[in-house]
Amino acid sequence: MTTEGGQPVQEVTTNAEGTWDVQVDKPGKYKVTLDPSSLPQNAEVRGGNNVRTPTVYEDNCSTVLYALQPKGGANQQQGGGETSSFWTQAAQLTFEGLNLGLIIALAALGLSLIYGTTGLTNFAHGELVTLGAILAYAFNIGFGLHLIPAAVIAVIVAGILGYFQDRLFWGQLRKRGTGTIAMMIISIGVALFLRYVYLIFFGGQTEAYAQYTAQPGIEIGPISAAPKNFVAMGIELAVLIIVGIALLRTRTGKAARAVADNPALAASSGINVDRVIRIIWTFGGAIAALAGIMLGLSQNLKYTMGQDILLLIFAGVTLGGLGTAFGALVGSLVVGLFIQVSTLWVPPELKSVGALAVLIIVLLVRPQGILGRRERIG
């Protein structure tokens, strides 16, 4: 590692998990060079670029990542070897896309339910995702609890905070007759406020949970992943199925769908609209917190993690159909798959472009989204 001007800083070797750390004396731009000869014989840096130029800010850390691939990558020998390598990589990326899509779906589900019942496009929803991850980290590291009970407590606390967020803030704005556009702009301010509150209390550094951080991968056919990924996907699927059944079969779920269809008619039918909305906020906050915890398991925690996936959450909700819970699930899975699988043809830095391109194409053909309904305007 050197400064931008070429002055040597330090030479380090990664540990068994492939991580390393260098302390620098002052902020600025640095040059990090990976020695290709130090890699395993069958591995190489994806794209062949072994130089990174991170910028380090005062009291912050900067993360440098190198994506590795089997030597030769997609350019292996002609014939069957190249085809086999391509399909193996495609299978791995499809699995990773499903994993990411389920995380996005958890976050998008709450956002879609809140939009469906209140009409609020909540730009602060990403901060609810971050809140869940930070709460779990606080109980896990700060109070010394194992991650599993820490995660359960964090989800419950986030649900309670979601309830009081609507009771004390959004509900009061609705009673005053605040329009949806004004509330959307307010949500942007709430997002900025919460983001910097997280920065003050959590810090700008990247952190990890005490458990399940580094796990040896297991191979199932062409797919290789840590055991935590399989367990996390099972939990995500179970939660999504349970919420879907609850929306279809329970009285509260039917009431929520009635409020989403026509709040005035639902109120005249005897449904307590405010009570239903608060229940939705409670479960929306809890599910968003669970999404943040799962995201923190798959990558490290930072105070902007919710902001980083907020665009993907909106893409999933819009692609599936605004206000439809099942549409949010379908749209999020499509977004997650295209983000990961697109790296077969585009650089990883541009992987979000594929998902957004699909969003644009689908909306040009079907403006209401995949599972959305046509509405009369005017």
Side-chain angles (χ1 to χ4, degrees):
M1 181 174 177
T2 64
T3 63
E4 188 177 19
Q7 183 178 356
V9 176
Q10 189 176 348
E11 182 175 331
V12 295
T13 304
T14 63
N15 59 21
E17 285 76 34
T19 61
W20 55 277
D21 181 72
V22 172
Q23 301 293 327
V24 295
D25 296 330
K26 57 183 179 180
K29 197 168 186 178
Y30 292 85
K31 181 179 179 182
V32 180
T33 305
L34 174 66
D35 182 8
S37 63
S38 64
L39 295 174
Q41 292 183 355
N42 62 341
E44 66 179 2
V45 179
R46 182 183 297 173
N49 181 14
N50 65 324
V51 178
R52 301 287 187 271
T53 55
T55 300
V56 180
Y57 299 96
E58 188 172 358
D59 297 327
N60 279 329
C61 67
S62 181
T63 303
V64 177
L65 298 175
Y66 288 94
L68 303 182
Q69 66 181 12
K71 187 164 288 186
N75 299 319
Q76 288 182 337
Q77 65 271 19
Q78 298 288 331
E82 182 179 350
T83 303
S84 175
S85 174
F86 175 83
W87 289 112
T88 299
Q89 190 176 5
Q92 179 68 33
L93 291 173
T94 300
F95 172 81
E96 294 173 1
L98 287 173
N99 189 13
L100 176 61
L102 288 171
I103 294 173
I104 296 173
L106 278 179
L109 182 60
L111 179 65
S112 182
L113 289 173
I114 290 170
Y115 175 84
T117 53
T118 66
L120 170 63
T121 304
N122 185 17
F123 279 85
H125 196 76
E127 312 316 314
L128 298 181
V129 174
T130 308
L131 176 65
I134 291 178
L135 284 174
Y137 177 84
F139 290 119
N140 179 227
I141 302 298
F143 292 93
L145 295 177
H146 189 276
L147 180 57
I148 294 176
V152 173
I153 296 173
V155 169
I156 294 173
V157 172
I160 294 172
L161 292 175
Y163 172 85
F164 282 105
Q165 186 179 164
D166 182 73
R167 184 180 181 89
L168 302 177
F169 186 66
W170 298 111
Q172 299 302 318
L173 291 176
R174 286 196 306 275
K175 287 181 179 179
R176 294 174 179 272
T178 306
T180 54
I181 299 297
M183 292 177 71
M184 180 189 70
I185 296 173
I186 292 171
S187 75
I188 297 174
V190 172
L192 292 171
F193 171 76
L194 290 176
R195 195 173 306 150
Y196 287 104
V197 168
Y198 299 154
L199 176 61
I200 292 170
F201 289 98
F202 182 75
Q205 73 281 358
T206 302
E207 300 289 353
Y209 295 124
Q211 290 81 32
Y212 312 119
T213 300
Q215 289 184 321
I218 59 176
E219 293 188 4
I220 300 179
I223 297 171
S224 176
K228 64 180 180 181
N229 292 331
F230 294 102
V231 175
M233 291 179 70
I235 294 173
E236 292 153 9
L237 274 174
V239 171
L240 290 169
I241 291 172
I242 291 171
V243 173
I245 293 174
L247 286 172
L248 294 174
R249 301 295 178 88
T250 65
R251 290 173 59 89
T252 302
K254 294 176 182 178
R257 289 190 290 125
V259 172
D261 285 339
N262 192 321
L265 182 59
S268 65
S269 302
I271 296 174
N272 189 332
V273 174
D274 283 337
R275 178 176 176 271
V276 170
I277 290 174
R278 282 174 190 149
I279 291 174
I280 292 299
W281 266 98
T282 301
F283 282 97
I287 295 171
L290 179 60
I293 295 168
M294 295 304 176
L295 186 62
L297 268 178
S298 64
Q299 63 182 39
N300 288 332
L301 287 75
K302 56 182 179 178
Y303 80 100
T304 59
M305 58 191 298
Q307 173 197 358
D308 294 341
I309 68 163
L310 182 62
L311 180 61
L312 303 180
I313 295 172
F314 274 114
V317 171
T318 308
L319 182 61
L322 287 171
T324 61
F326 297 105
L329 170 59
V330 174
S332 299
L333 289 176
V334 172
V335 168
L337 281 171
F338 268 87
I339 285 176
Q340 296 300 108
V341 176
S342 64
T343 57
L344 287 169
W345 301 281
V346 302
E349 294 80 7
L350 299 177
K351 61 184 180 181
S352 295
V353 173
L356 299 179
V358 171
L359 171 65
I360 294 171
I361 293 171
V362 171
L363 293 183
L364 285 174
V365 178
R366 189 176 173 82
Q368 69 270 32
I370 297 174
L371 298 183
R373 295 178 302 176
R374 291 181 180 272
E375 295 183 1
R376 182 183 298 274
I377 299 176

